[in-house]
Every structure is written in C-alpha cells, then in structure tokens.
PDB file of all heavy atoms in Angstrom:
ATOM      1  N   THR A   4       0.812  -1.212   0.003  1.00 90.00           N
ATOM      2  CA  THR A   4       0.006   0.004  -0.006  1.00 90.00           C
ATOM      3  C   THR A   4       0.844   1.249   0.002  1.00 90.00           C
ATOM      4  O   THR A   4       1.999   1.261   0.440  1.00 90.00           O
ATOM      5  CB  THR A   4      -0.948   0.034   1.200  1.00 90.00           C
ATOM      6  OG1 THR A   4      -1.819   1.127   1.084  1.00 90.00           O
ATOM      7  CG2 THR A   4      -0.187   0.147   2.525  1.00 90.00           C
ATOM      8  N   HIS A   5       0.262   2.332  -0.519  1.00 86.00           N
ATOM      9  CA  HIS A   5       0.848   3.661  -0.392  1.00 86.00           C
ATOM     10  C   HIS A   5       0.014   4.496   0.575  1.00 86.00           C
ATOM     11  O   HIS A   5       0.231   5.685   0.730  1.00 86.00           O
ATOM     12  CB  HIS A   5       0.886   4.370  -1.772  1.00 86.00           C
ATOM     13  CG  HIS A   5       1.921   3.783  -2.652  1.00 86.00           C
ATOM     14  ND1 HIS A   5       1.674   2.757  -3.533  1.00 86.00           N
ATOM     15  CD2 HIS A   5       3.241   4.097  -2.800  1.00 86.00           C
ATOM     16  CE1 HIS A   5       2.776   2.466  -4.183  1.00 86.00           C
ATOM     17  NE2 HIS A   5       3.745   3.251  -3.751  1.00 86.00           N
ATOM     18  N   ILE A   6      -0.957   3.873   1.249  1.00 89.00           N
ATOM     19  CA  ILE A   6      -1.789   4.581   2.223  1.00 89.00           C
ATOM     20  C   ILE A   6      -1.001   4.702   3.527  1.00 89.00           C
ATOM     21  O   ILE A   6      -0.923   3.754   4.320  1.00 89.00           O
ATOM     22  CB  ILE A   6      -3.134   3.857   2.433  1.00 89.00           C
ATOM     23  CG1 ILE A   6      -3.903   3.703   1.116  1.00 89.00           C
ATOM     24  CG2 ILE A   6      -3.980   4.615   3.465  1.00 89.00           C
ATOM     25  CD1 ILE A   6      -5.185   2.894   1.222  1.00 89.00           C
ATOM     26  N   TYR A   7      -0.436   5.880   3.753  1.00 90.00           N
ATOM     27  CA  TYR A   7       0.418   6.097   4.894  1.00 90.00           C
ATOM     28  C   TYR A   7      -0.314   5.876   6.217  1.00 90.00           C
ATOM     29  O   TYR A   7       0.224   5.235   7.130  1.00 90.00           O
ATOM     30  CB  TYR A   7       1.023   7.519   4.844  1.00 90.00           C
ATOM     31  CG  TYR A   7       1.792   7.848   6.074  1.00 90.00           C
ATOM     32  CD1 TYR A   7       3.071   7.304   6.284  1.00 90.00           C
ATOM     33  CD2 TYR A   7       1.282   8.678   7.055  1.00 90.00           C
ATOM     34  CE1 TYR A   7       3.798   7.581   7.413  1.00 90.00           C
ATOM     35  CE2 TYR A   7       1.994   8.987   8.196  1.00 90.00           C
ATOM     36  CZ  TYR A   7       3.257   8.430   8.370  1.00 90.00           C
ATOM     37  OH  TYR A   7       3.973   8.715   9.534  1.00 90.00           O
ATOM     38  N   GLU A   8      -1.503   6.402   6.323  1.00 90.00           N
ATOM     39  CA  GLU A   8      -2.282   6.274   7.563  1.00 90.00           C
ATOM     40  C   GLU A   8      -2.450   4.807   7.958  1.00 90.00           C
ATOM     41  O   GLU A   8      -2.348   4.449   9.118  1.00 90.00           O
ATOM     42  CB  GLU A   8      -3.635   6.946   7.396  1.00 90.00           C
ATOM     43  CG  GLU A   8      -4.483   6.989   8.660  1.00 90.00           C
ATOM     44  CD  GLU A   8      -5.810   7.732   8.448  1.00 90.00           C
ATOM     45  OE1 GLU A   8      -5.842   8.721   7.689  1.00 90.00           O
ATOM     46  OE2 GLU A   8      -6.773   7.307   9.061  1.00 90.00           O
ATOM     47  N   LEU A   9      -2.723   3.961   6.992  1.00 91.00           N
ATOM     48  CA  LEU A   9      -2.876   2.510   7.228  1.00 91.00           C
ATOM     49  C   LEU A   9      -1.565   1.901   7.721  1.00 91.00           C
ATOM     50  O   LEU A   9      -1.506   1.259   8.755  1.00 91.00           O
ATOM     51  CB  LEU A   9      -3.339   1.832   5.963  1.00 91.00           C
ATOM     52  CG  LEU A   9      -3.335   0.311   5.974  1.00 91.00           C
ATOM     53  CD1 LEU A   9      -4.359  -0.216   6.961  1.00 91.00           C
ATOM     54  CD2 LEU A   9      -3.602  -0.219   4.564  1.00 91.00           C
ATOM     55  N   ALA A  10      -0.506   2.080   6.929  1.00 92.00           N
ATOM     56  CA  ALA A  10       0.778   1.454   7.262  1.00 92.00           C
ATOM     57  C   ALA A  10       1.312   1.966   8.601  1.00 92.00           C
ATOM     58  O   ALA A  10       1.757   1.186   9.441  1.00 92.00           O
ATOM     59  CB  ALA A  10       1.786   1.728   6.150  1.00 92.00           C
ATOM     60  N   HIS A  11       1.261   3.270   8.810  1.00 93.00           N
ATOM     61  CA  HIS A  11       1.787   3.835  10.024  1.00 93.00           C
ATOM     62  C   HIS A  11       0.967   3.435  11.265  1.00 93.00           C
ATOM     63  O   HIS A  11       1.514   3.214  12.327  1.00 93.00           O
ATOM     64  CB  HIS A  11       1.907   5.364   9.927  1.00 93.00           C
ATOM     65  CG  HIS A  11       2.768   5.952  10.957  1.00 93.00           C
ATOM     66  ND1 HIS A  11       2.281   6.530  12.083  1.00 93.00           N
ATOM     67  CD2 HIS A  11       4.116   5.993  11.068  1.00 93.00           C
ATOM     68  CE1 HIS A  11       3.279   6.945  12.837  1.00 93.00           C
ATOM     69  NE2 HIS A  11       4.394   6.640  12.251  1.00 93.00           N
ATOM     70  N   GLY A  12      -0.340   3.314  11.088  1.00 92.00           N
ATOM     71  CA  GLY A  12      -1.190   2.858  12.169  1.00 92.00           C
ATOM     72  C   GLY A  12      -0.781   1.484  12.684  1.00 92.00           C
ATOM     73  O   GLY A  12      -0.705   1.243  13.888  1.00 92.00           O
ATOM     74  N   PHE A  13      -0.520   0.547  11.753  1.00 91.00           N
ATOM     75  CA  PHE A  13      -0.066  -0.767  12.154  1.00 91.00           C
ATOM     76  C   PHE A  13       1.368  -0.686  12.718  1.00 91.00           C
ATOM     77  O   PHE A  13       1.701  -1.385  13.687  1.00 91.00           O
ATOM     78  CB  PHE A  13      -0.120  -1.769  11.002  1.00 91.00           C
ATOM     79  CG  PHE A  13      -1.471  -2.392  10.840  1.00 91.00           C
ATOM     80  CD1 PHE A  13      -2.345  -1.968   9.842  1.00 91.00           C
ATOM     81  CD2 PHE A  13      -1.878  -3.428  11.681  1.00 91.00           C
ATOM     82  CE1 PHE A  13      -3.605  -2.563   9.729  1.00 91.00           C
ATOM     83  CE2 PHE A  13      -3.105  -4.020  11.544  1.00 91.00           C
ATOM     84  CZ  PHE A  13      -3.987  -3.576  10.559  1.00 91.00           C
ATOM     85  N   TYR A  14       2.205   0.135  12.134  1.00 94.00           N
ATOM     86  CA  TYR A  14       3.579   0.264  12.616  1.00 94.00           C
ATOM     87  C   TYR A  14       3.630   0.741  14.064  1.00 94.00           C
ATOM     88  O   TYR A  14       4.393   0.233  14.866  1.00 94.00           O
ATOM     89  CB  TYR A  14       4.343   1.249  11.726  1.00 94.00           C
ATOM     90  CG  TYR A  14       5.788   1.403  12.107  1.00 94.00           C
ATOM     91  CD1 TYR A  14       6.740   0.475  11.668  1.00 94.00           C
ATOM     92  CD2 TYR A  14       6.229   2.473  12.901  1.00 94.00           C
ATOM     93  CE1 TYR A  14       8.068   0.606  12.006  1.00 94.00           C
ATOM     94  CE2 TYR A  14       7.556   2.596  13.247  1.00 94.00           C
ATOM     95  CZ  TYR A  14       8.476   1.663  12.781  1.00 94.00           C
ATOM     96  OH  TYR A  14       9.799   1.800  13.145  1.00 94.00           O
ATOM     97  N   GLU A  15       2.749   1.674  14.419  1.00 93.00           N
ATOM     98  CA  GLU A  15       2.720   2.198  15.782  1.00 93.00           C
ATOM     99  C   GLU A  15       2.308   1.171  16.820  1.00 93.00           C
ATOM    100  O   GLU A  15       2.601   1.303  17.984  1.00 93.00           O
ATOM    101  CB  GLU A  15       1.779   3.414  15.855  1.00 93.00           C
ATOM    102  CG  GLU A  15       2.355   4.671  15.246  1.00 93.00           C
ATOM    103  CD  GLU A  15       1.436   5.855  15.375  1.00 93.00           C
ATOM    104  OE1 GLU A  15       0.200   5.662  15.320  1.00 93.00           O
ATOM    105  OE2 GLU A  15       1.952   6.973  15.525  1.00 93.00           O
ATOM    106  N   LYS A  16       1.669   0.112  16.384  1.00 90.00           N
ATOM    107  CA  LYS A  16       1.249  -0.954  17.323  1.00 90.00           C
ATOM    108  C   LYS A  16       2.434  -1.820  17.727  1.00 90.00           C
ATOM    109  O   LYS A  16       2.327  -2.592  18.650  1.00 90.00           O
ATOM    110  CB  LYS A  16       0.148  -1.826  16.680  1.00 90.00           C
ATOM    111  CG  LYS A  16      -1.160  -1.091  16.509  1.00 90.00           C
ATOM    112  CD  LYS A  16      -2.205  -2.016  15.923  1.00 90.00           C
ATOM    113  CE  LYS A  16      -3.504  -1.237  15.802  1.00 90.00           C
ATOM    114  NZ  LYS A  16      -4.602  -2.099  15.427  1.00 90.00           N
ATOM    115  N   ARG A  17       3.545  -1.706  17.021  1.00 90.00           N
ATOM    116  CA  ARG A  17       4.781  -2.447  17.335  1.00 90.00           C
ATOM    117  C   ARG A  17       4.513  -3.943  17.505  1.00 90.00           C
ATOM    118  O   ARG A  17       4.944  -4.587  18.430  1.00 90.00           O
ATOM    119  CB  ARG A  17       5.429  -1.917  18.597  1.00 90.00           C
ATOM    120  CG  ARG A  17       5.713  -0.438  18.601  1.00 90.00           C
ATOM    121  CD  ARG A  17       6.872  -0.109  17.704  1.00 90.00           C
ATOM    122  NE  ARG A  17       7.351   1.245  17.920  1.00 90.00           N
ATOM    123  CZ  ARG A  17       7.243   2.218  17.016  1.00 90.00           C
ATOM    124  NH1 ARG A  17       6.721   1.992  15.863  1.00 90.00           N
ATOM    125  NH2 ARG A  17       7.693   3.429  17.292  1.00 90.00           N
ATOM    126  N   LEU A  18       3.763  -4.521  16.552  1.00 84.00           N
ATOM    127  CA  LEU A  18       3.438  -5.931  16.572  1.00 84.00           C
ATOM    128  C   LEU A  18       4.704  -6.739  16.313  1.00 84.00           C
ATOM    129  O   LEU A  18       5.418  -6.505  15.348  1.00 84.00           O
ATOM    130  CB  LEU A  18       2.384  -6.247  15.505  1.00 84.00           C
ATOM    131  CG  LEU A  18       1.077  -5.458  15.623  1.00 84.00           C
ATOM    132  CD1 LEU A  18       0.216  -5.672  14.389  1.00 84.00           C
ATOM    133  CD2 LEU A  18       0.328  -5.871  16.871  1.00 84.00           C
ATOM    134  N   ALA A  19       4.947  -7.698  17.180  1.00 84.00           N
ATOM    135  CA  ALA A  19       6.165  -8.531  17.056  1.00 84.00           C
ATOM    136  C   ALA A  19       6.159  -9.342  15.742  1.00 84.00           C
ATOM    137  O   ALA A  19       7.245  -9.691  15.246  1.00 84.00           O
ATOM    138  CB  ALA A  19       6.290  -9.448  18.258  1.00 84.00           C
ATOM    139  N   THR A  20       5.009  -9.637  15.212  1.00 83.00           N
ATOM    140  CA  THR A  20       4.903 -10.474  14.013  1.00 83.00           C
ATOM    141  C   THR A  20       4.823  -9.670  12.705  1.00 83.00           C
ATOM    142  O   THR A  20       4.737 -10.242  11.656  1.00 83.00           O
ATOM    143  CB  THR A  20       3.681 -11.398  14.111  1.00 83.00           C
ATOM    144  OG1 THR A  20       2.525 -10.597  14.299  1.00 83.00           O
ATOM    145  CG2 THR A  20       3.849 -12.391  15.249  1.00 83.00           C
ATOM    146  N   ALA A  21       4.853  -8.342  12.809  1.00 89.00           N
ATOM    147  CA  ALA A  21       4.706  -7.497  11.605  1.00 89.00           C
ATOM    148  C   ALA A  21       6.080  -7.071  11.100  1.00 89.00           C
ATOM    149  O   ALA A  21       6.985  -6.735  11.872  1.00 89.00           O
ATOM    150  CB  ALA A  21       3.884  -6.272  11.933  1.00 89.00           C
ATOM    151  N   ILE A  22       6.215  -7.057   9.775  1.00 92.00           N
ATOM    152  CA  ILE A  22       7.429  -6.572   9.117  1.00 92.00           C
ATOM    153  C   ILE A  22       7.003  -5.493   8.118  1.00 92.00           C
ATOM    154  O   ILE A  22       6.066  -5.671   7.362  1.00 92.00           O
ATOM    155  CB  ILE A  22       8.152  -7.722   8.363  1.00 92.00           C
ATOM    156  CG1 ILE A  22       8.576  -8.798   9.344  1.00 92.00           C
ATOM    157  CG2 ILE A  22       9.350  -7.170   7.588  1.00 92.00           C
ATOM    158  CD1 ILE A  22       9.120 -10.030   8.648  1.00 92.00           C
ATOM    159  N   PHE A  23       7.698  -4.385   8.122  1.00 94.00           N
ATOM    160  CA  PHE A  23       7.384  -3.279   7.227  1.00 94.00           C
ATOM    161  C   PHE A  23       8.542  -3.088   6.268  1.00 94.00           C
ATOM    162  O   PHE A  23       9.678  -2.874   6.679  1.00 94.00           O
ATOM    163  CB  PHE A  23       7.137  -1.983   8.011  1.00 94.00           C
ATOM    164  CG  PHE A  23       5.887  -2.111   8.869  1.00 94.00           C
ATOM    165  CD1 PHE A  23       5.954  -2.670  10.110  1.00 94.00           C
ATOM    166  CD2 PHE A  23       4.670  -1.701   8.389  1.00 94.00           C
ATOM    167  CE1 PHE A  23       4.825  -2.828  10.898  1.00 94.00           C
ATOM    168  CE2 PHE A  23       3.525  -1.838   9.138  1.00 94.00           C
ATOM    169  CZ  PHE A  23       3.585  -2.385  10.399  1.00 94.00           C
ATOM    170  N   LEU A  24       8.265  -3.199   4.986  1.00 93.00           N
ATOM    171  CA  LEU A  24       9.281  -3.038   3.936  1.00 93.00           C
ATOM    172  C   LEU A  24       8.974  -1.796   3.140  1.00 93.00           C
ATOM    173  O   LEU A  24       7.816  -1.450   2.903  1.00 93.00           O
ATOM    174  CB  LEU A  24       9.284  -4.270   3.024  1.00 93.00           C
ATOM    175  CG  LEU A  24       9.555  -5.611   3.705  1.00 93.00           C
ATOM    176  CD1 LEU A  24       9.412  -6.729   2.692  1.00 93.00           C
ATOM    177  CD2 LEU A  24      10.926  -5.630   4.344  1.00 93.00           C
ATOM    178  N   ARG A  25       9.990  -1.116   2.702  1.00 89.00           N
ATOM    179  CA  ARG A  25       9.847   0.074   1.858  1.00 89.00           C
ATOM    180  C   ARG A  25      10.926   0.118   0.826  1.00 89.00           C
ATOM    181  O   ARG A  25      11.948  -0.556   0.945  1.00 89.00           O
ATOM    182  CB  ARG A  25       9.855   1.325   2.738  1.00 89.00           C
ATOM    183  CG  ARG A  25      11.076   1.434   3.587  1.00 89.00           C
ATOM    184  CD  ARG A  25      11.009   2.523   4.601  1.00 89.00           C
ATOM    185  NE  ARG A  25      11.422   3.785   4.008  1.00 89.00           N
ATOM    186  CZ  ARG A  25      11.424   4.914   4.660  1.00 89.00           C
ATOM    187  NH1 ARG A  25      11.031   4.984   5.895  1.00 89.00           N
ATOM    188  NH2 ARG A  25      11.789   6.003   4.052  1.00 89.00           N
ATOM    189  N   ALA A  26      10.712   0.924  -0.190  1.00 86.00           N
ATOM    190  CA  ALA A  26      11.723   1.076  -1.233  1.00 86.00           C
ATOM    191  C   ALA A  26      12.935   1.814  -0.669  1.00 86.00           C
ATOM    192  O   ALA A  26      12.781   2.866  -0.034  1.00 86.00           O
ATOM    193  CB  ALA A  26      11.132   1.832  -2.422  1.00 86.00           C
ATOM    194  N   GLU A  27      14.107   1.262  -0.930  1.00 88.00           N
ATOM    195  CA  GLU A  27      15.337   1.924  -0.465  1.00 88.00           C
ATOM    196  C   GLU A  27      15.608   3.155  -1.345  1.00 88.00           C
ATOM    197  O   GLU A  27      15.447   3.100  -2.571  1.00 88.00           O
ATOM    198  CB  GLU A  27      16.497   0.929  -0.550  1.00 88.00           C
ATOM    199  CG  GLU A  27      17.812   1.542  -0.052  1.00 88.00           C
ATOM    200  CD  GLU A  27      18.964   0.543  -0.176  1.00 88.00           C
ATOM    201  OE1 GLU A  27      19.195   0.024  -1.285  1.00 88.00           O
ATOM    202  OE2 GLU A  27      19.604   0.291   0.842  1.00 88.00           O
TER     203      GLU A  27
END
C-alpha cells in the first residue's frame, strides 16, 4: 500500500509479528 495512515497505524502498534518493507 501507499496509504500512509494505514501502514503507520499498524507500525505504531509495534506488533512482534509485523514486518514493514519500503523502497530503499
């Protein structure tokens, strides 16, 4: 997704099972 609000909302939860990848 490019929906920042969605990705950042999950990122802020600091879920141990979540991985966030982005373009370098």
Side-chain angles (χ1 to χ4, degrees):
T4 188
H5 287 91
I6 302 175
Y7 175 74
E8 185 177 324
L9 170 67
H11 196 260
F13 274 103
Y14 183 81
E15 285 182 326
K16 291 182 180 188
R17 306 287 193 246
L18 303 170
T20 56
I22 298 172
F23 295 85
L24 302 175
R25 56 189 276 178
E27 181 181 54

